[in-house]
Amino acid sequence: MTNPYYPHLFAKGKIGSVTLKNRIVRNSMGTYLGNPDGTVTDRQIKAYAEAAEGGAGLIFMDNCVPVPMTSCGLRADKDEFIAGLTLLAEAIKMHGAVPGMQIAHPGRDASFVGSEDVIGASPITYEPWYQMGARLPRALTIEEIHDLVSRFGDAALRCKKAGFEIVEIHGAAGCIPTNFLSPHDNKRTDMYGGSLENRMRLLLEIVREIHKKCGPDFPVGVKLSTEDWEPEGIRIEETIEVAKALEREGVSHLNMMGGTHATAAREFLLPNAFNAVHTRMIKEAVHIPVFIGHNIFTPEEAEAMLAEGNGDFVALGRSQLADPAWARKARCGKAGDIKPCINCMIGCIDKGMLGHTPIHCTVNPTLYKYECEPITEAAEKKRVAIVGAGPAGCEAALTASKRGHQVTLFEKRGFGGAMVEASRPDNKANIRRLIRYYEEHILADPNITLVKENADFDTLAHGGFDAVILANGGKTRRLQVPGGDSEQVLYASDYLLGNRKAEGTRAVVIGGGITGAETALELLREGKEVTIVEMADAFLASPGSASQAYGIEIAQSPIQILTGKRLIEVQPGQIRLTDRWGNESVLEADCVVVAAGYLPQNELADRLEKETNLEVFHVGDSKKVRQIYDAIHEGFAAARQI
């Protein structure tokens, strides 16, 4: 029967000889929940079961390496690993999905996963990584290439024996096949370099080897980058030819993505479904199923991708981290209950892939936290006051309600807190979905009463509450210099909200953090000449995908950056700066936009703790100014303790 909500998304589909119950694929992102030696853990088995129970038709999770390598992924280089892999495949099948395994060798990227042997087509890597200390890969010999091809075939056979019904060769994101496919990374002069025919030889030989060892009817797909976003690298025109060659070799499907591990931060700035045009070009060039992924977050977006002919299946990764039940909720017409991914890349990429920790999610504080009991009703129901309806307060309110507590949420301005300003740039519009999610669920919750006013000490201390969660956010760091209160000075929060306009043509942004970068780019789009002034020696000093993405975009723009400079005075049409040695300079400025960040607010928390017997929890920016990730996770943790 046709699904009444998303007919294309929940139609059956085939990958080779395998039938899937719907067109939703849980894309491989890795969990980093395994043991360092590549053996399977109980937590990993639970993660695979949870993913399958979420309703997707095909489940990929961790990568499986075909060679000895220490990591927190999976290994299939010896028969002794088959037993653990079998437990994973069985967990997926028991929960109604088809188990798939992605086989990957990190190639040049092995420098970042602890491998002693970093290999590639040539001794070339992504230049910014080399400047950060990455080792150059050594070029494989012909004999080593043949051995590696054989190992891919053996690994695939072990996965088949373990019960995985589809395997996928990771030929994207900087893994070993892309080191050969890329004309930048591959400078070989033998049969594996030069022409595109030679550069795709390794990938085609791997496909043939797997077919030889697993049989021609065993589905073998390939993940490809449409483009790798690297200088002189992989481009869509050549990828189309690679796709055609792979189809001739009998691959079961093509799973399309963009970029590499080195350039993944670019996704932060790209619109939803940004890879649709290139993926459709691949689909129109072949007759086998094509997976479309990347920045597809809602069932409506996924349905549209299939209906428009941009792909045959939708491969989702981060969306199913934010809400593992994404597919199940969509199937039942409950898309509004799906916790939305906001494309922040903090938990999954910054803390997971780049941070070498088990993968996390900003909006889903329960992800893979199997040591914590599920939320249940508290033995003693309490009256809980929550101050602030930003990310920490909203998460705390919903969690406390699930515990059966009666919640009073104080918020004068409106839902979202600092997320409102943060969602102003187009590339962060997905945050608006999270704001709507919180608002709709809180307003519909009978255990939560919204009070549209600020809460002071007396209200909290004498309001009959048992516990208080202070999540009232940080306060704007004010400019304390002569002329700081003049008309030409405005604050980034007011500017991003549209409360104040930046007058004139020459704009100076004070502050070189994330907010400063976003503000500068918005001003640039208005046609202004923009200069960023940062007191520290480094611009965008905090690590992470957002800093990397903004850094690249601003480096390619006419925005000027002055580091090691401090504002000391605002004068009509100009500002005065000084460096640490007292050397002063003057900069012309029609407007000054202050993006100097926020300060915590500890006064109310300190007083409540000293003068009352209330349980007091202090969370989010109100306690310490950090990221949205910290706010949501702290709000959740506080509420579950009451």
Side-chain angles (χ1 to χ4, degrees), residues 56-238:
L58 173 61
I59 304 295
F60 291 108
M61 295 284 280
D62 294 278
N63 292 323
C64 190
V65 294
V67 298
M69 187 175 294
T70 57
S71 67
C72 288
L74 297 169
R75 287 172 62 180
D77 56 293
K78 294 180 181 179
D79 287 348
E80 65 193 59
F81 294 106
I82 294 176
L85 294 173
T86 300
L87 296 175
L88 298 178
E90 289 176 345
I92 293 173
K93 292 177 183 178
M94 286 290 288
H95 289 83
V98 171
M101 178 56 70
Q102 185 173 271
I103 304 174
H105 189 296
R108 68 176 198 188
D109 296 358
S111 182
F112 291 95
V113 295
S115 175
E116 293 298 321
D117 190 21
V118 182
I119 61 173
S122 304
I124 298 172
T125 192
Y126 184 57
E127 186 171 343
W129 276 14
Y130 180 68
Q131 294 171 347
M132 292 166 55
R135 285 176 289 166
L136 288 177
R138 65 176 184 84
L140 288 171
T141 66
I142 295 293
E143 292 75 17
E144 288 175 322
I145 290 173
H146 293 166
D147 178 66
L148 181 61
V149 169
S150 179
R151 287 176 180 272
F152 265 93
D154 292 339
L157 181 57
R158 293 185 182 103
C159 292
K160 179 182 178 181
K161 289 179 178 179
F164 288 94
E165 299 179 26
I166 296 172
V167 298
E168 184 174 273
I169 303 162
H170 201 335
C175 291
I176 193 72
T178 62
N179 305 158
F180 280 76
L181 287 170
S182 168
H184 177 270
D185 289 1
N186 186 346
K187 301 300 182 184
R188 302 177 73 99
T189 57
D190 57 20
M191 295 294 289
Y192 292 89
S195 67
L196 177 60
E197 180 182 1
N198 284 351
R199 284 184 277 120
M200 73 170 81
R201 189 183 304 276
L202 171 67
L203 182 55
L204 299 185
E205 288 181 350
I206 291 172
V207 171
R208 292 170 193 153
E209 185 73 6
I210 295 176
H211 278 149
K212 182 176 76 174
K213 291 178 175 174
C214 294
D217 295 330
F218 184 66
V220 180
V222 177
K223 180 176 281 187
L224 284 177
S225 294
T226 51
E227 296 194 340
D228 62 7
W229 309 337
E230 297 186 16
E232 302 173 351
I234 296 170
R235 298 296 180 262
I236 185 61
E237 293 78 13
E238 287 197 340

Side-chain angles (χ1 to χ4, degrees), residues 520-521 524 530 532 550-561:
L521 288 167
L524 181 67
V530 185
I532 298 173
Y550 283 135
I552 293 172
E553 182 165 0
I554 288 176
Q556 298 171 347
S557 78
I559 295 173
Q560 299 297 308
I561 301 170

Side-chain angles (χ1 to χ4, degrees), residues 308-355:
E308 294 168 6
N310 296 318
D312 301 290
F313 292 79
V314 177
L316 307 174
R318 287 172 290 161
S319 296
Q320 293 186 80
L321 298 178
D323 195 331
W326 191 99
R328 181 156 41 87
K329 291 177 180 178
R331 182 177 179 273
C332 298
K334 296 182 178 179
D337 287 339
I338 295 173
K339 193 76 168 288
C341 171
I342 60 173
N343 195 33
C344 66
M345 304 175 71
I346 297 171
C348 51
I349 304 299
D350 297 346
K351 292 182 180 291
M353 187 180 76
L354 301 180

